[in-house]
Amino acid sequence: MRTTVECHNKNIIQAYRARLLHFTNDPAYDQQSTAWFEDGLLIIAEGKVIAAGNYDQLKQTLAEDTVIHDYRGKLIIPGFIDTHLHYPQTDMIASPADGLLPWLERYTFPIERKFADTNYAHEVAQFFVDELLRCGTTTAMVYGSVHQESVEAFFLESESRNLRMVAGKVMMDRNCPTFLQDSAETSALQTETIIKKWHRRGRQLVAITPRFAPTSSESQLQLASELVRAYPEVYLQTHVSENVNEVAWVKSLFPKARSYLDVYDSYGMLRPKSMYAHCIWLDDNDRTRMMQTQSAVAVCPTSNLFLGSGLFDFERADKHQQLLSLATDVGAGTSFSMLHTMNEAYKVARMQGTHLSALRLFYLATLGAARSMQLEGTIGNFSTGAEADFIVLDLSATPLLARRTSHAESLEELLFCLAMLGDDRAVLATYAAGCVVHKRAH
Ligand code: GUN
Ligand code: ZN
């Protein structure tokens, strides 16, 4: 069943009463960064946040006849942001393989071939967007397939729900089956066509998307880097240092590069608005370069555990002040849920003796991601003027969640329970630009 956009009169002030949480900074470094209201009110108009704060205080600013939507007992937070996933891989999620490279050959390339069929692309895009919204994800950085039309199908779907999404056409001209190969020139031309049509059309944003260094010739990387320079407002997304065999392969393909990341660096691809997935096998030199250039990391724990790629080192990343966010990396990732992703991120850190607080996990899935995408002030928190993308979380979504959260003694404990025990069932409603885009069935 298709999710419809349900909007009360868009221009009229809407108010939502609930427990309210958002961040103004990284709670790992700033104790004042958590905006938490036990009895809160979120006021929006024309799809933007007017105010977020205490109910008692803010109620007085409202006209007498303002309708207040009553979500008391529930928790409202900004919509989740998933900074890396592949919509063409929806139908092959949960396909086991002996590591990244065999997984790509055996499942990924064959399924992505199907996106030559535009009808299939539209059908998958619709399901994919439904699934994101069911999980409370209102913004994502999405890979299409190598087919230009796959990106068109995705943007049409996203635009029809008025979502803030980023997407791009995979550029891939070598080391893949011929049925998925483009050429350096056509990939650049098609990417530019997509940029001109879709970047900043409504809430849509485009990413230049070379799949990863092994599947791009030097001339394709060169043309991608020219696009990166010509369009500084457009995103760049790719993969780096995910798997040891992949890292060795890159070393043999690019013998002059100092490291895998250095391949991208040598093409001028480290810059703000670039999103690098995985970043497991970086060295400190790489981490410093990413920090200096404001290149961001998409940490993909469910994917990295599923494929046996490795454990992301949060402590070293923090030491180098890297821009961090969480991502599902569907279909190597095993869930669309950012709550589930937090759960696995916590365990990945734990395996290395690092403690990630629940506050930090929720920050990484909201404002941390917005900052990584240079979108602070637009999405990721409830600052005045931000776009009203938010979710209503049900702390009693399952009997176990209800029982465990009923005696949580702090916000940290409450959020930790949600991260460990929650999933799509905890998302009661999802709002995009102030409109309902998902409501959980009873
Ligand atoms: N590296 C290159 N392509 C892919 C992909 O589709 N998924 C993952 N996890 N890694 C990749
Ligand atoms: Zn990926």
Side-chain angles (χ1 to χ4, degrees):
M1 193 183 70
R2 185 167 188 142
T3 309
T4 50
V5 178
E6 176 193 316
C7 230
H8 310 107
N9 191 334
K10 257 187 160 173
N11 301 323
I12 290 179
I13 288 183
Q14 302 286 327
Y16 298 84
R17 185 177 185 182
R19 300 176 185 196
L20 209 61
L21 169 73
H22 68 121
F23 298 95
T24 54
N25 205 350
D26 186 339
Y29 300 98
D30 176 0
Q31 304 215 323
Q32 309 302 313
S33 63
T34 305
W36 165 239
F37 307 98
E38 278 276 356
D39 186 8
L41 196 66
L42 176 65
I43 305 175
I44 66 171
E46 296 178 29
K48 300 260 172 76
V49 174
I50 304 274
N54 273 319
Y55 172 78
D56 280 341
Q57 282 168 8
L58 287 182
K59 183 180 57 132
Q60 295 165 17
T61 67
L62 295 176
E64 289 251 315
D65 59 352
T66 307
V67 178
I68 298 179
H69 303 272
D70 192 349
Y71 280 125
R72 268 179 288 179
K74 309 290 188 279
L75 170 63
I76 289 184
I77 66 170
F80 291 131
I81 301 171
D82 180 346
T83 56
H84 178 93
L85 79 171
H86 303 253
Y87 103 82
Q89 296 173 15
T90 303
D91 281 348
M92 45 73 76
I93 190 170
S95 297
D98 187 16
L100 169 68
L101 301 175
W103 176 84
L104 284 172
E105 289 287 335
R106 170 127 189 240
Y107 303 106
T108 314
F109 293 149
I111 201 86
E112 292 194 10
R113 181 181 200 175
K114 293 177 75 175
F115 285 76
D117 174 354
T118 313
N119 289 333
Y120 179 69
H122 279 284
E123 193 272 320
V124 176
Q126 189 177 315
F127 178 89
F128 175 87
V129 171
D130 281 346
E131 193 64 16
L132 286 177
L133 298 174
R134 267 180 9 83
C135 290
T137 298
T138 48
T139 291
M141 292 190 67
V142 177
Y143 285 51
S145 67
V146 77
H147 312 94
Q148 182 178 349
E149 298 75 17
S150 72
V151 183
E152 184 79 14
F154 174 77
F155 276 136
L156 285 171
E157 195 59 44
S158 171
E159 184 178 56
S160 74
R161 331 274 184 115
N162 195 22
L163 306 175
R164 176 146 315 270
M165 290 284 175
V166 182
K169 179 207 117 69
V170 161
M171 304 169 79
M172 175 159 70
D173 69 346
R174 67 165 173 169
N175 292 324
C176 63
T178 47
F179 57 75
L180 278 181
Q181 245 174 43
D182 57 17
S183 70
E185 292 73 23
T186 54
S187 70
L189 274 174
Q190 291 182 349
T191 299
E192 190 163 34
T193 304
I194 294 167
I195 291 170
K196 287 185 171 150
K197 177 162 182 190
W198 285 102
H199 192 64
R200 295 197 163 155
R201 171 165 147 176
R203 302 185 77 201
Q204 312 312 310
L205 300 166
V206 175
I208 299 157
T209 310
R211 180 174 211 120
F212 67 154
T215 48
S216 285
S217 64
E218 301 260 1
S219 52
Q220 186 167 62
L221 288 171
Q222 179 57 34
L223 289 182
S225 80
E226 285 169 22
L227 285 173
V228 162
R229 258 184 298 284
Y231 295 98
E233 287 306 306
V234 169
Y235 287 87
L236 166 74
Q237 56 182 358
T238 190
H239 300 84
V240 72
S241 292
E242 175 177 4
N243 165 289
V244 286
N245 294 336
E246 171 211 23
V247 174
W249 191 22
V250 170
K251 200 173 168 57
S252 70
L253 291 169
F254 301 89
K256 289 198 210 112
R258 194 197 62 76
S259 68
Y260 187 165
L261 185 82
D262 188 52
V263 175
Y264 300 123
D265 202 3
S266 68
Y267 283 98
M269 290 183 177
L270 299 188
R271 46 92 128 157
K273 296 201 173 186
S274 63
M275 184 59 69
Y276 286 87
H278 306 293
C279 298
I280 293 173
W281 303 103
L282 300 183
D283 60 23
D284 284 349
N285 218 320
D286 295 329
R287 293 185 180 95
T288 302
R289 281 299 294 149
M290 291 191 76
M291 181 270 287
Q292 288 169 339
T293 56
Q294 293 186 67
S295 304
V297 181
V299 182
C300 307
T302 73
S303 163
N304 297 154
L305 294 172
F306 181 69
L307 291 176
S309 302
L311 304 176
F312 182 79
D313 191 336
F314 285 94
E315 211 170 294
R316 284 199 99 76
D318 280 344
K319 225 175 242 164
H320 289 82
Q321 298 173 293
Q322 290 193 266
L323 286 169
L324 299 185
S325 58
L326 298 179
T328 62
D329 192 26
V330 164
T334 49
S335 170
F336 279 77
S337 168
M338 292 302 287
L339 291 171
H340 196 159
T341 304
M342 290 180 200
N343 174 322
E344 301 284 84
Y346 176 79
K347 295 172 191 164
V348 165
R350 205 51 263 145
M351 284 299 290
Q352 299 166 96
T354 304
H355 176 74
L356 287 181
S357 72
L359 284 170
R360 183 92 195 282
L361 290 164
F362 275 79
Y363 163 81
L364 290 174
T366 55
L367 182 62
R371 284 185 169 176
S372 296
M373 298 167 69
Q374 311 287 326
L375 283 178
E376 185 171 6
T378 303
I379 55 170
N381 72 7
F382 297 141
S383 57
T384 300
E387 295 171 350
D389 291 349
F390 61 96
I391 58 179
V392 184
L393 294 174
D394 179 1
L395 304 167
S396 306
T398 67
L400 181 60
L401 197 54
R403 190 176 175 95
R404 180 62 186 88
T405 57
S406 70
H407 59 94
E409 289 180 356
S410 65
L411 173 62
E412 172 65 21
E413 189 178 341
L414 191 74
L415 295 178
F416 196 79
C417 295
L418 261 176
M420 294 307 115
L421 305 174
D423 52 31
D424 54 305
R425 293 168 295 178
V427 180
L428 185 66
T430 304
Y431 289 74
C435 301
V436 181
V437 285
H438 163 69
K439 256 197 181 147
R440 192 185 68 193
H442 286 295

